[in-house]
Structure formats: structure tokens, C-alpha cells
């Protein structure tokens, strides 16, 4: 099964315009069983109350029956069970989390593996969220490299308000169809998008947003921002910039470094319009352009100003200097109390004792996206 996925990935890479018309045949009992072994099997039960342990006891029979229903076109995507969970350290209130049934999680993860084989060839290097071989530390390391080695002095940071809840289904399906022409796979995705959620026995259908809590959600969310942001930035924005410009994105968290302020301000204006076209909105209170880079601190000291700071993946970044007077990225808070620095000559991974948002640095990025991480693993 994995060999077939490798062949699909090779075809997708060799021909960027190829649309895959036949992929449903991969959804065999063997492929579903292989997918099951790769999943997090400690997830909670969906609306049917079935546990992963109960499903696994009759795994061979269950995957066979599932494949037969798929062949007959009789599969119906059930709504997810919605629960409220705490927002996280330092944040008040709760946020909704969707829990699919065990069977639905398995099928979503299987289709997600197929989509990953196709779209990995298209995703750009600036994207680090929930991709094979990528992780939050890779995004932090890349951002550090940009700040300490490139000609950048201005940084744009933004927050997409409720991103996962406002993905437009029609646009998303068009984006998936750029590469996927198999009607069976497209119909399955459509079923998940429209499945809705259940609270107190009442089902609410959704007209926007990615499948709540489902393993298919991370890849669909990445596809959406690949077209809305990554590809647009690479093909349209960078060629128009007067200076250097670099995008770093992990899921829906992103920052952009620019050499010149006018490029950053023009990007902000264009991004607002771009997001609006695809049903997204920037949170104005979290969107700004600031001076940030290795030459900024010295420039600001001449006027008595202090360099600004920004958060990315749970880490607060500040322009500073090391004991030798050389440029370094500082991490305030507990890391600052411990005297931890991010010198230009070292990697972020060296700060194993620092903490951000009450999580050790080796865990903070994962903690920042713990919910989406569970979705990616089928939990």
C-alpha cells in the first residue's frame, strides 16, 4: 500500500499539472488496516459511543464491511460529537472540539494519507504545519535563520480570526479539485464538510469550516492556505517587492519578514483583500508591522527607543545581544530569568531549559497546537 502511495507522490512531483482520476481503489481493507496501525488509538468516542478498543476487537471484519459500504456508495458521514475544552494556559474560557466516530476517524485518516501523497509535491518550503518530516521546531529554526542571516528589518504578524471555522467549502473543494479528479474521493470530502456536529442530540449542519476534530482537517486546512497565502505570496507578492521577503507558516500561524517597510505595508493591504475574497478575516488587534531584525536594535538605540517583540508558536522573540555584544534573539519570561538566549550562531533547539507559556521549549510548539496535532493523528 505504501508503495502505491510512493508512486502517486512521484507522479505528483514529476507532473505539477497532473489531476488524479483514480484513487478510490487504494481504500482497501489492507490499506485501512495499515492506516489503523499508524493512528492514535486512545481517542474518545464519537456520537455512537464506540471505543477504539471495541472497534479494534473486530478490526478485520469492520474494515471489510466498511470497504463494502464504500463500494456500494452507502457510506454516510456521521456528525461529530462536540465538546468544550479549555482554551489553554493563560487563556480564559473554552473552545469547541469535534470528536468523530472511530470508524469515521479511520476513513478520514486513510483519505488524508492519499491527499498527502498528492499535495506534498505542491506544498512550499515555507509551510511547516502537520506535514511529514516537518514540525514546529523546524518553523522556529527557519525563522531564526531568516532573522539572523537575511537582509530583513521589518516583520509583519497577523492572526486569522477563527481560521478553521471559516474555511469556505466551495473554495476548498475547487482547490482540492486542482489535483484530485476522482469523483469518489471528492464526494467523500464533501460528505465530511457537510456532516455537521451534534450537541445534546441536536445536529447542526455546517456551511463553512473544516471537519471538526477529524484527521482530514489538517491536510484540508493546509491545502486552503497553500492557495490563499503561500502560493499567492510566492508568485504574486515576492516578485513585486523592492527588497527581500520571507514567509514562515505553521498551520494558521504565520509571520513575514521584509527588508523594506513599504513592502510590508503593501503586503498588509493586499492580504486583507485576499483573505476577504476567501471568506477569511484578519484580527485587527493582532495584525501589525514592526521593526525587527539584526540591525534594528542598534538603529533604535540612537533614538532611545526599545526594539519591539512578537510571539510565534508560543515563543516571544526579542532583538537582543549576547555576552559578546553580538546580535541574538532573546526569549523573555522564564527563559529570560534563566539567562537563556538564542545567539545567531546556535539553533533554537539548544534552549532545552527555556519555557514558554508554561511549557518547556521542547514541548511548547506542540502544546500550542495540541488539538490540531490530535486531529492529524486521528485522536
Amino acid at each position: 500500500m505504501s508503495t502505491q502511495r510512493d508512486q502517486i507522490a512521484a507522479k505528483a512531483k514529476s507532473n505539477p499539472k497532473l489531476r488524479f482520476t483514480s484513487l478510490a481503489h487504494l481504500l482497501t481493507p489492507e490499506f485501512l488496516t495499515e492506516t489503523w496501525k499508524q493512528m492514535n488509538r486512545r481517542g474518545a468516542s464519537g456520537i455512537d459511543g464506540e471505543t477504539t478498543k471495541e472497534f479494534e476487537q473486530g478490526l478485520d471484519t469492520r474494515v471489510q464491511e466498511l470497504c463494502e459500504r464504500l463500494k456500494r456508495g452507502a457510506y454516510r458521514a456521521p456528525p461529530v460529537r462536540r465538546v468544550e475544552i479549555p482554551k489553554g494556559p493563560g487563556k480564559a474560557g473554552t473552545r469547541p472540539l469535534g470528536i468523530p466516530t472511530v470508524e469515521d476517524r479511520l476513513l478520514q485518516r486513510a483519505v488524508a494519507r492519499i491527499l498527502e501523497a498528492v499535495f506534498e509535491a505542491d506544498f512550499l518550503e515555507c509551510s511547516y504545519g502537520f506535514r511529514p518530516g516537518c514540525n514546529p521546531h523546524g518553523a522556529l529554526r527557519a525563522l531564526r535563520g531568516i532573522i539572523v542571516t537575511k537582509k530583513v528589518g521589518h516583520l509583519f504578524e497577523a492572526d486569522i480570526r477563527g481560521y478553521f471555522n471559516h474555511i469556505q467549502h466551495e473554495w476548498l473543494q475547487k482547490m482540492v479539485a486542482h489535483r484530485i479528479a476522482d469523483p469518489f474521493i471528492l464526494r467523500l470530502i464533501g460528505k465530511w464538510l457537510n456532516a455537521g456536529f451534534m450537541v445534546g442530540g441536536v445536529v447542526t449542519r455546517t456551511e463553512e469550516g473544516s471537519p471538526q476534530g477529524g484527521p482530514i482537517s489538517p491536510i484540508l486546512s493546509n491545502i486552503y492556505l497553500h492557495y490563499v497565502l503561500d502560493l499567492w505570496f510566492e508568485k504574486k507578492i515576492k516578485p513585486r517587492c523592492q527588497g527581500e521577503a520571507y514567509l514562515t507558516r505553521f498551520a494558521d500561524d504565520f509571520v513575514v519578514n521584509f527588508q523594506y517597510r513599504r513592502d510590508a505595508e503593501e503586503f498588509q493591504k493586499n492580504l486583507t483583500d485576499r483573505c476577504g475574497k476567501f471568506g477569511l478575516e484578519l484580527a485587527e488587534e493582532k495584525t501589525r508591522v514592526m521593526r525587527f531584525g539584526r540591525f534594528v536594535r542598534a538603529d533604535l538605540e540612537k533614538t532611545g527607543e526599545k526594539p519591539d517583540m512578537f510571539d510565534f508558536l508560543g515563543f516571544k522573540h526579542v532583538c537582543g545581544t549576547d555576552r559578546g555584544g553580538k546580535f541574538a534573539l532573546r526569549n523573555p519570561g522564564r527563559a529570560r530569568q534563566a539567562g537563556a538566549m538564542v545567539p545567531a550562531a546556535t539553533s533554537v533547539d539548544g534552549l532545552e531549559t527555556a519555557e514558554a507559556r508554561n511549557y518547556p521549549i521542547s514541548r511548547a510548539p506542540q502544546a500550542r497546537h495540541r488539538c490540531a496535532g490530535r486531529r492529524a493523528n486521528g485522536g
Side-chain angles (χ1 to χ4, degrees), residues 88-137:
K91 295 184 177 180
T94 61
R95 57 186 172 87
L97 174 67
I99 305 176
T101 63
V102 178
E103 181 183 72
D104 200 47
R105 284 208 298 272
L106 170 59
L107 184 56
Q108 283 194 37
R109 183 63 196 126
V111 174
R113 292 178 64 201
I114 295 173
L115 295 182
E116 287 169 359
V118 175
F119 281 95
E120 266 302 307
D122 296 347
F123 290 154
L124 305 185
E125 293 183 359
C126 62
S127 173
Y128 293 86
F130 311 117
R131 296 178 55 195
C134 297
N135 55 48
H137 284 295

Side-chain angles (χ1 to χ4, degrees), residues 132-173:
C134 297
N135 55 48
H137 284 295
L140 291 168
R141 191 180 302 112
L143 178 59
R144 181 201 63 83
I146 291 169
I147 293 172
V148 302
T149 65
K150 303 299 182 180
K151 297 178 181 179
V152 293
H154 301 273
L155 181 138
F156 171 83
E157 68 168 346
D159 179 77
I160 301 176
R161 199 186 305 277
Y163 169 65
F164 293 97
N165 295 326
H166 295 293
I167 293 175
Q168 301 299 298
H169 292 176
E170 184 177 355
W171 275 117
L172 175 59
Q173 289 172 308

Side-chain angles (χ1 to χ4, degrees), residues 302-313:
K302 298 176 182 178
T303 61
E305 300 178 70
K306 293 183 178 181
D308 214 331
M309 63 181 69
F310 71 95
D311 292 334
F312 185 59
L313 298 182

Side-chain angles (χ1 to χ4, degrees), residues 236-256:
K236 299 294 185 180
I237 299 299
K238 286 186 70 173
R240 298 176 184 174
C241 289
Q242 298 298 310
E244 298 182 13
Y246 304 93
L247 168 67
T248 306
R249 179 174 71 82
F250 186 95
D252 62 325
D253 286 345
F254 67 95
V255 295
V256 190

Side-chain angles (χ1 to χ4, degrees), residues 19-323:
R19 298 181 71 219
F20 291 83
T21 58
S22 179
L23 295 171
H25 69 278
L26 293 176
L27 296 174
T28 63
E30 294 77 18
F31 186 73
L32 292 176
T33 301
E34 179 183 276
T35 301
W36 177 260
K37 294 177 181 179
Q38 299 177 7
M39 288 174 55
N40 169 17
R41 298 191 289 278
R42 295 175 295 175
S45 302
I47 61 171
D48 60 359
E50 184 179 37
T51 65
T52 54
K53 185 176 181 180
E54 292 170 342
F55 186 90
E56 191 169 35
Q57 288 175 348
L59 181 62
D60 292 341
T61 302
R62 295 298 299 274
V63 297
Q64 188 67 45
E65 292 176 347
L66 176 57
C67 286
E68 290 176 359
R69 274 185 286 142
L70 290 172
K71 290 179 181 179
R72 299 196 310 268
Y75 184 79
R76 299 292 181 266
V80 301
R81 179 169 68 90
R82 174 179 276 191
V83 297
E84 296 291 328
I85 62 173
K87 284 189 175 181
K91 295 184 177 180
T94 61
R95 57 186 172 87
L97 174 67
I99 305 176
T101 63
V102 178
E103 181 183 72
D104 200 47
R105 284 208 298 272
L106 170 59
L107 184 56
Q108 283 194 37
R109 183 63 196 126
V111 174
R113 292 178 64 201
I114 295 173
L115 295 182
E116 287 169 359
V118 175
F119 281 95
E120 266 302 307
D122 296 347
F123 290 154
L124 305 185
E125 293 183 359
C126 62
S127 173
Y128 293 86
F130 311 117
R131 296 178 55 195
C134 297
N135 55 48
H137 284 295
L140 291 168
R141 191 180 302 112
L143 178 59
R144 181 201 63 83
I146 291 169
I147 293 172
V148 302
T149 65
K150 303 299 182 180
K151 297 178 181 179
V152 293
H154 301 273
L155 181 138
F156 171 83
E157 68 168 346
D159 179 77
I160 301 176
R161 199 186 305 277
Y163 169 65
F164 293 97
N165 295 326
H166 295 293
I167 293 175
Q168 301 299 298
H169 292 176
E170 184 177 355
W171 275 117
L172 175 59
Q173 289 172 308
K174 288 180 179 179
M175 294 170 183
V176 173
H178 272 295
R179 283 296 226 161
I180 308 297
D182 186 329
F184 183 88
I185 298 296
L186 295 177
R187 281 197 300 270
L188 267 181
I189 294 174
K191 290 179 180 181
W192 286 319
L193 291 176
N194 297 314
F197 61 89
M198 178 181 289
V199 177
V202 178
V203 176
T204 301
R205 301 299 177 184
T206 52
E207 297 180 356
E208 60 181 3
S210 60
Q212 294 189 21
I216 195 76
S217 182
I219 180 67
L220 293 182
S221 301
N222 262 345
I223 291 172
Y224 202 73
L225 279 185
H226 168 72
Y227 287 105
V228 174
L229 179 62
D230 302 354
L231 203 59
W232 172 71
F233 178 82
E234 187 69 24
K235 300 295 184 181
K236 299 294 185 180
I237 299 299
K238 286 186 70 173
R240 298 176 184 174
C241 289
Q242 298 298 310
E244 298 182 13
Y246 304 93
L247 168 67
T248 306
R249 179 174 71 82
F250 186 95
D252 62 325
D253 286 345
F254 67 95
V255 295
V256 190
N257 297 90
F258 292 92
Q259 183 174 358
Y260 299 123
R261 186 176 185 87
R262 60 179 176 271
D263 288 336
E265 292 175 341
E266 184 66 18
F267 171 72
Q268 180 175 356
K269 177 183 176 182
N270 291 331
L271 181 62
T272 299
D273 295 337
R274 178 74 174 176
C275 286
K277 177 181 179 179
F278 294 95
L280 304 176
E281 179 187 6
L282 297 180
E284 293 184 7
E285 68 278 9
K286 298 180 180 180
T287 301
R288 59 175 177 160
V289 175
M290 71 184 76
R291 294 204 62 189
F292 200 96
R294 51 185 169 141
F295 306 114
V296 170
R297 186 178 183 87
D299 292 341
L300 292 179
E301 285 180 348
K302 298 176 182 178
T303 61
E305 300 178 70
K306 293 183 178 181
D308 214 331
M309 63 181 69
F310 71 95
D311 292 334
F312 185 59
L313 298 182
F315 291 94
K316 195 174 293 293
H317 295 72
V318 179
C319 293
T321 56
D322 60 18
R323 293 180 180 179

